Amino acid sequence: IRTFIALVMQGDSTMEARRQLFERQKKQIEDQIAALEHTKQVLEFKCWFYETAEQLGSSQAVSDLKDEEMPAAMAEIRSELRGEKSQKKQAI
């Protein structure tokens, strides 16, 4: 805020600097939202995992499920958590 106020006080010659200030702030917020969304997806997977484990009677039963036997979104997160997604990206 101090930086913005200082720029405003300097006049219209700082319009670009003010816009850039807001662009940087916007990017930071977008990055935070993405990180929070990822955390939410992991938590959704964990909830699904333990709900399914309760239904199947063990956590190992869930771990043994093949990707085709589980919701696609859950299989994707599981692959990521296992590090399989990053290995696939490196192979490309």
Side-chain angles (χ1 to χ4, degrees):
I1 294 175
R2 287 182 194 158
T3 302
F4 175 72
I5 291 172
L7 290 170
V8 169
M9 292 177 73
Q10 292 175 39
D12 285 349
S13 65
T14 63
M15 292 275 200
E16 182 180 354
R18 287 186 252 171
R19 182 187 52 76
Q20 289 175 354
L21 180 74
F22 287 118
E23 291 289 339
R24 284 191 303 273
Q25 184 65 32
K26 180 179 151 204
K27 174 72 170 108
Q28 288 176 353
I29 297 297
E30 290 169 346
D31 291 346
Q32 290 172 347
I33 289 170
L36 287 170
E37 184 60 38
H38 181 263
T39 299
K40 179 183 169 198
Q41 290 171 346
V42 170
L43 290 171
E44 287 171 348
F45 169 78
K46 295 292 186 178
C47 290
W48 172 85
F49 182 94
Y50 287 106
E51 288 171 10
T52 306
E54 287 178 311
Q55 293 169 0
L56 298 178
S58 78
S59 59
Q60 189 61 48
V62 182
S63 294
D64 291 342
L65 288 175
K66 295 177 182 160
D67 286 352
E68 311 80 55
E69 299 173 317
M70 57 196 316
M74 299 302 120
E76 186 176 329
I77 293 293
R78 179 174 72 171
S79 292
E80 181 182 330
L81 292 173
R82 289 179 172 176
E84 296 168 1
K85 196 175 215 179
S86 61
Q87 290 174 357
K88 288 178 187 176
K89 285 183 181 178
Q90 290 174 358
I92 294 176

